[in-house]
């Protein structure tokens, strides 16, 4: 538009900035409803700081544990219920590993019994001119060498591959058996059999390490018990295979055939088995901390791993309680296997040694059942107590205590069984094997779970060394007790061993495994 003449032009005003929606005046009729909606809205939450990222190897926190009123973290024990889902192919691969260690340890046990069942043929051979005293000289060095080897093998397991330890140990002991068949001197045979004992001790710690790496705690007892039957299986096959070959083809074949089979199986183990699921690209069976993982390769790291595992095991009072319990259990077990034949001959009216040996055979069969069932029962106990966060090791210890009380009762029943009832004696001795082989299996498993995975071999070494001291105590000291106080003294000492074992286990009835302690943020060792 045109402006009038002489009119002054007012400066143009900039347009005002639009008001925020919340600050604009609201129509009068809409104000009450808006106020009501505003009052219904919750107050704004303050921003929460971001959580620090956790290492991939630690167990993840459950997201469902958060609540609207404070987002509370789950308790540490809740992490025990976490199950890792493994990809396809893991189960079949793990069963291959289990079959490998089962067959390999059976072969080890078979190559351990070759001399025992070839010896009668050797003594009967007039060209050799051997006596029973010569056979005793050959076998005398085996137990001591075996106990020391089990300790050394367990310690070395912290720094070396358990698969290679098992495979090379089996092949080496097989070579010893083959070389034994070419000998013709008591000194030569005695030296070789001492070497065999030194090599045999490597197998058990290696198998223990593989079992703890491939099987989680909730199922480990079952598979540990199944693996434990390899000793019964080897003991069953030795007289059949070795005795038959020695009797029909000469004592040399009693040594050569198990040795050749052991060489083949050792090579198969070396190529088929792997140290852990991670070595094949699978996730671990249980969450582990980085500090508990296997040490890196290299001379310096192996030395440090060996020192760390020795320190953890030797300073653990829980491991020493289990070791002393093992001493008592092996005293009872070896006392039964070594002296029950004489008890049946002298007290229970066995007609001859063969009949007594047949009755004592129930010990091994009952032991096979008792050892296997103890693992299943302990796994079931752990699963039943999963929600309460009970100690996994303590649950297994409670099963061991029940077995020891059963053994006490069976020892009393064996004394009361009539001499004229050999069938009843067989069943009572089978029950005795059931009662004592359960603790033998479970204590080794408890020792493996009470330390970190890198120290499993070391714990098995300590337990093995102390247990064979108990087995040695069942020799001369137990024989002295029997000679001095008769069979009353014999049974009193075995019963005292059971009572002492129960007392040693009482402080561990609620013990947690090292995996539980680590998951709860506890110390690396205890």
């Amino acid at each position: 538009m045109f402006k009038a003449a002489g009119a002054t032009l007012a400066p143009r005003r900039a347009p005002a900035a639009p008001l925020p929606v919340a600050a604009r005046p609201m129509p009068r009729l809409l104000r009450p409803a808006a106020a009501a909606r505003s009052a219904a809205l919750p107050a704004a939450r303050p921003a929460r700081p971001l959580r620090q990222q956790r290492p991939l190897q630690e167990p993840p926190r459950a997201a469902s544990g958060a609540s609207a009123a404070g987002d509370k973290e789950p308790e540490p024990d809740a992490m025990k219920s976490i199950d890792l889902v493994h990809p396809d192919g893991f189960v079949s691969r793990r069963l291959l590993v289990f079959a490998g260690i089962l067959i390999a340890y059976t072969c080890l046990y078979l190559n351990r019994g070759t001399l025992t069942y070839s010896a009668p043929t050797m003594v009967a051979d007039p060209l050799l001119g051997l006596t029973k005293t010569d056979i005793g000289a050959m076998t005398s060095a085996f137990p001591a060498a075996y106990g020391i080897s089990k300790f050394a093998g367990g310690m070395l397991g912290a720094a070396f591959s358990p698969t290679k330890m098992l495979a090379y140990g089996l092949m080496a002991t097989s070579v010893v058996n083959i070389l034994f068949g070419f000998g013709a001197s008591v000194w030569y045979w005695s030296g070789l059999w001492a070497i065999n004992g030194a090599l045999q001790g490597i197998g058990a710690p290696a198998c223990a390490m593989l079992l703890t790496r491939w099987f989680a705690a909730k199922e480990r007892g079952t598979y540990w018990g199944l693996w434990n039957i390899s000793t019964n299986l080897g003991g069953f096959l030795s007289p059949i295979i070795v005795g038959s070959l020695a009797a029909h083809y000469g004592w040399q074949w009693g040594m050569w055939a198990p040795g050749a089979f052991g060489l083949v199986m050792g090579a198969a183990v070396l190529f088929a088995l792997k140290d852990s699921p991670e070595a094949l690209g699978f996730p671990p069976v249980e969450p582990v901390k980085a500090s508990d993982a296997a040490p890196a390769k290299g001379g310096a790291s192996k030395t440090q791993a060996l020192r760390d595992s020795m320190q953890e095991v030797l300073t653990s009072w829980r491991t020493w309680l289990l070791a002393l319990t093992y001493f008592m259990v092996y005293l009872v077990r070896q006392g039964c296997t070594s002296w029950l034949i004489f008890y049946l001959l002298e007290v229970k009216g066995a007609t001859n040694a063969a009949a007594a040996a047949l009755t004592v055979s129930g010990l091994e069969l009952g032991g096979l059942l008792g050892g296997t069932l103890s693992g299943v029962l302990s796994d079931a106990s752990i699963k039943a107590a999963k929600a309460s966060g009970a100690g996994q090791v303590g649950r297994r210890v409670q099963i061991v205590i029940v077995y020891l009380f059963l053994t006490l009762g069976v020892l009393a029943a064996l004394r009361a069984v009539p001499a004229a009832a050999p069938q009843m004696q067989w069943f009572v001795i089978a029950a005795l094997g059931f009662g004592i082989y359960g603790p033998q299996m479970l204590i080794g498993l408890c020792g493996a779970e009470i330390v970190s995975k890198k120290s499993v071999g070391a714990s098995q070494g300590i337990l093995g060394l102390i247990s064979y001291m108990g087995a040695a105590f069942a020799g001369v000291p137990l024989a002295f007790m029997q000679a001095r106080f008769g069979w009353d003294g014999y049974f009193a000492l075995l019963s005292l061993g059971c009572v002492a074992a129960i007392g040693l286990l009482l402080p561990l009835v609620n013990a947690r495994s090292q995996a539980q302690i680590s998951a709860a943020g506890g110390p690396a060792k205890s």
Side-chain angles (χ1 to χ4, degrees):
M1 300 296 295
F2 294 92
K3 298 181 176 61
T8 59
L9 187 62
R12 186 183 297 271
R13 295 176 62 185
L19 293 174
V21 176
R24 293 178 186 175
M26 188 176 295
R28 186 180 303 275
L29 294 177
L30 297 180
R31 287 177 185 173
R37 286 195 304 271
S38 176
L41 292 175
R45 294 182 180 179
R48 292 187 300 173
L50 293 175
R51 292 183 182 178
Q52 185 178 1
Q53 187 176 2
R54 303 180 185 277
L56 292 178
Q57 288 182 311
E58 289 193 5
R61 299 281 185 175
S64 60
S67 62
D71 193 29
K72 185 179 179 181
E73 292 278 353
E75 296 297 327
D77 286 337
M79 291 187 290
K80 297 193 301 297
S81 62
I82 297 171
D83 293 325
L84 298 180
V85 179
H86 295 285
D88 294 337
F90 173 78
V91 174
S92 59
R93 186 71 193 197
R94 187 169 68 169
L95 289 177
L96 175 63
V97 172
F98 177 76
I101 62 176
L102 177 67
I103 297 174
Y105 202 75
T106 301
C107 288
L108 274 172
Y109 217 84
L110 180 63
N111 278 279
R112 188 185 307 180
T114 48
L115 177 58
T116 301
Y117 297 102
S118 296
T121 308
M122 294 176 70
V123 172
D125 189 343
L127 297 177
L128 297 180
L130 293 176
T131 64
K132 293 180 181 179
T133 304
D134 295 327
I135 299 297
M138 297 179 202
T139 59
S140 61
F142 186 96
Y146 181 81
I148 296 172
S149 169
K150 202 168 184 180
F151 172 75
M155 292 300 176
L156 293 176
F160 294 95
S161 162
T163 299
K164 292 181 179 179
M165 287 174 58
L166 179 60
Y168 290 140
L170 175 56
M171 288 190 285
T173 192
S174 300
V175 170
V176 167
N177 274 266
I178 293 174
L179 293 176
F180 195 98
F182 291 100
S185 165
V186 174
W187 289 105
Y188 174 84
W189 288 322
S190 299
L192 279 179
W193 213 242
I195 295 173
N196 190 25
L199 294 170
Q200 285 277 338
I202 299 174
C207 292
M209 287 184 282
L210 289 169
L211 283 166
T212 54
R213 294 178 184 181
W214 280 94
F215 296 92
K218 65 179 183 180
E219 59 190 352
R220 191 177 297 142
T222 299
Y223 284 95
W224 195 291
L226 290 172
W227 164 69
N228 200 60
I229 71 173
S230 59
T231 59
N232 305 100
L233 188 60
F236 173 75
L237 292 175
S238 292
I240 297 175
I241 296 176
V242 178
S244 299
L245 288 172
H248 290 88
Y249 303 102
W251 66 269
Q252 292 93 338
W253 281 103
M255 311 297 296
W256 290 339
F261 185 68
L263 279 176
V264 174
M265 283 309 306
V269 165
L270 186 62
F271 289 103
L273 271 61
K274 296 297 181 182
D275 290 343
S276 64
E278 299 93 307
L280 290 172
F282 296 113
V285 294
E286 290 176 316
V288 294
K289 284 188 173 183
S291 60
D292 293 339
K297 296 181 179 180
S301 60
K302 288 182 178 180
T303 302
Q304 186 60 44
L306 180 59
R307 291 175 180 172
D308 291 344
S309 64
M310 289 181 66
Q311 182 179 6
E312 178 180 357
V313 172
L314 294 176
T315 58
S316 171
W317 62 270
R318 303 190 301 172
T319 300
W320 284 108
L321 281 181
L322 289 173
L324 293 174
T325 304
Y326 231 3
F327 179 97
M328 300 300 174
V329 168
Y330 264 75
L331 165 64
V332 178
R333 176 205 163 186
Q334 194 64 34
C336 292
T337 56
S338 298
W339 299 103
L340 279 183
I341 289 180
F342 294 96
Y343 176 70
L344 295 177
L345 287 169
E346 296 178 13
V347 178
K348 294 301 180 181
T351 55
N352 51 50
L358 181 62
T359 304
V360 174
S361 66
L363 192 74
E364 205 72 24
L365 184 60
L368 189 152
L369 180 61
T372 304
L373 185 60
S374 66
V376 176
L377 291 175
S378 67
D379 280 351
S381 179
I382 288 174
K383 291 177 183 178
K386 195 173 185 180
S388 66
Q392 293 174 352
V393 172
R395 284 283 168 168
R396 300 197 199 278
V397 165
Q398 293 169 23
I399 300 296
V400 173
I401 291 176
V402 172
Y403 268 76
L404 289 171
F405 273 114
L406 173 64
T407 303
L408 272 173
V410 175
L411 286 172
L414 182 58
R415 303 200 66 189
V417 66
Q423 293 84 3
M424 187 181 299
Q425 293 170 13
W426 187 94
F427 280 106
V428 172
I429 290 177
L432 184 59
F434 182 97
I436 199 60
Y437 274 86
Q440 178 200 336
M441 193 283 293
L442 279 181
I443 292 173
L445 176 55
C446 291
E449 292 183 332
I450 216 161
V451 297
S452 61
K453 288 190 176 181
K454 63 187 178 184
S455 299
V456 168
S459 74
Q460 297 303 296
I462 287 289
L463 294 178
L465 179 63
I466 303 301
S467 67
Y468 268 80
M469 291 181 181
F473 197 85
V476 175
L478 190 56
F480 172 80
M481 286 291 295
Q482 196 279 326
R484 179 69 176 83
F485 301 102
W487 291 106
D488 290 338
Y490 167 84
F491 279 98
L493 186 58
L494 295 187
S495 300
L496 182 61
C498 292
V499 173
I502 293 171
L504 288 166
L505 290 175
L506 289 179
L508 300 175
V509 293
N510 294 314
R512 294 187 296 169
S513 68
Q514 187 60 42
Q516 288 181 298
I517 295 174
S518 297
K525 63 180 181 177
S526 62

